[in-house]
Amino acid sequence: MALLQLIPSSSSSSLSHKPTLNPSNVSSPLNSNPVLLSPRRNLLRRKRNSLRCSASSFSEKHHTNPPKSNDVVELPLFPLPLVLFPGAILPLQIFEFRYRMMMHTLLQTDLRFGVIYSDTVSGTADVGCVGEVFKHERLVDDRFFLICKGQERFRVTNLVRTKPYLVAEVTWLEDRPSGDGEEDLGALANEVEAHMKDVIRLSNRLGGKPEKEAQDLRRNLFPTPFSFFVGSTFEGAPREQQALLELEDTAARLKREKETLRNTLNYLTAASAVKDVFPSS
């Protein structure tokens, strides 16, 4: 689910990450359209009949043996012009030779690799998310169809090698307790959900679709996985998504998402008023 006409928060102009990698495989600029991101690269294409991502995918536990935050491990990296969140579903089709090599290695190990955001403006981020392959299909020409699910977040600490594909040492990221010890995360998550429903309703109205009441978007998710789910719906604003991914405070992430949704809601409300006055516009 993508939120249309996303208006990023006022703090989205600067990312907290400092690009540390500069792989040569990302050479084309991102689509400048702020609504929908449709990356097309030689190294991958989205599977056309992709799975729809819903809140039910965002379980509280993403891995059977979650790593400790102070563990340092080596992880193959896949720089992409998109941001993967824990719990999100990512369909991919692997074309490029070096990443087909990576897949052959992963099929013999644990099927986990690092998805890390990269573009030609800000370079490659040093915070990403593990993608775990849970469905794959190898084609006769050695291409691969993959269905991956986001798992743990990580930070790149050292680049081990760059050929034939990137491999880095990483440490794991976890949300820390909020500085506001008494913060009611449940209430904050409910406010974010309410804003999401309003944005969806107005987006449907402007798009000529029925203004149906949005379903239960949260689906009993705890605040942290729900904040990742919300971030995953901000398609078309990958730098804002990257900033949300890097935050290590659930309350801060939910507050930023609330501000973004409120800005979007204000924009849609104004657009809806204009449409009422000038129906043909």
Side-chain angles (χ1 to χ4, degrees):
M1 171 176 55
L3 297 180
L4 300 183
Q5 300 293 339
L6 179 66
I7 310 299
S9 65
S10 58
S11 56
S12 65
S13 58
S14 60
L15 293 182
S16 58
H17 78 266
K18 296 180 180 179
T20 57
L21 309 176
N22 189 24
S24 59
N25 59 295
V26 180
S27 57
S28 302
L30 288 175
N31 188 335
S32 59
N33 189 328
V35 178
L36 297 175
L37 175 66
S38 300
R40 290 293 182 269
R41 298 293 184 271
N42 290 332
L43 58 92
L44 77 99
R45 291 198 181 136
R46 295 274 192 131
K47 194 173 182 180
R48 289 186 180 275
N49 55 343
S50 60
L51 298 180
R52 292 190 63 82
C53 185
S54 66
S56 60
S57 306
F58 289 71
S59 59
E60 186 69 10
K61 295 182 180 180
H62 303 303
H63 199 258
T64 53
N65 296 303
K68 298 179 181 179
S69 58
N70 57 352
D71 288 346
V72 177
V73 299
E74 287 190 7
L75 191 68
L77 299 182
F78 200 167
L80 296 172
L82 54 85
V83 178
L84 178 65
F85 283 86
I89 302 299
L90 177 64
L92 296 172
Q93 186 176 164
I94 307 297
F95 285 91
E96 193 172 339
F97 177 70
R98 56 179 153 173
Y99 295 110
R100 299 205 309 265
M101 290 180 61
M102 185 179 77
M103 275 306 305
H104 284 289
T105 301
L106 294 178
L107 289 174
Q108 300 175 24
T109 54
D110 63 355
L111 295 176
R112 289 159 56 88
F113 60 96
V115 174
I116 196 160
Y117 174 66
S118 182
D119 69 20
T120 56
V121 176
S122 58
T124 303
D126 58 9
V127 171
C129 180
V130 171
E132 183 168 17
V133 180
F134 66 90
K135 285 186 179 181
H136 70 274
E137 179 183 357
R138 182 178 175 184
L139 305 180
V140 292
D141 57 0
D142 208 32
R143 289 178 298 146
F144 286 90
F145 284 119
L146 309 178
I147 302 294
C148 311
K149 185 173 183 178
Q151 302 290 349
E152 303 84 7
R153 293 174 297 157
F154 63 84
R155 183 183 301 277
V156 174
T157 58
N158 182 46
L159 192 59
V160 177
R161 69 170 186 264
T162 60
K163 295 181 179 181
Y165 48 83
L166 295 174
V167 176
E169 290 183 343
V170 305
T171 55
W172 307 110
L173 294 184
E174 296 179 358
D175 275 12
R176 299 187 294 262
S178 174
D180 302 325
E182 301 301 319
E183 189 80 54
D184 188 343
L185 294 179
L188 187 55
N190 288 337
E191 291 177 20
V192 171
E193 181 186 23
H195 282 326
M196 286 185 73
K197 289 181 177 180
D198 288 339
V199 168
I200 292 170
R201 176 179 55 80
L202 280 178
S203 294
N204 287 340
R205 182 185 183 191
L206 288 169
K209 299 178 182 179
E211 292 186 57
K212 296 181 180 179
E213 181 67 25
Q215 59 181 337
D216 178 10
L217 299 175
R218 190 172 171 188
R219 298 190 180 182
N220 297 319
L221 283 177
F222 286 101
T224 298
F226 179 66
S227 72
F228 291 140
F229 164 67
V230 175
S232 73
T233 68
F234 289 2
E235 296 180 13
R239 295 181 190 173
E240 175 66 10
Q241 288 184 309
Q242 181 65 30
L244 292 169
L245 184 74
E246 294 181 4
L247 289 174
E248 298 178 60
D249 183 321
T250 301
R253 188 179 303 109
L254 286 169
K255 287 178 180 177
R256 182 162 180 154
E257 290 167 343
K258 179 182 174 182
E259 181 183 355
T260 296
L261 289 166
R262 186 168 52 221
N263 291 342
T264 303
L265 186 58
N266 290 339
Y267 171 87
L268 293 175
T269 300
S272 180
V274 170
K275 184 175 181 179
D276 288 342
V277 176
F278 304 101
S280 61
S281 61

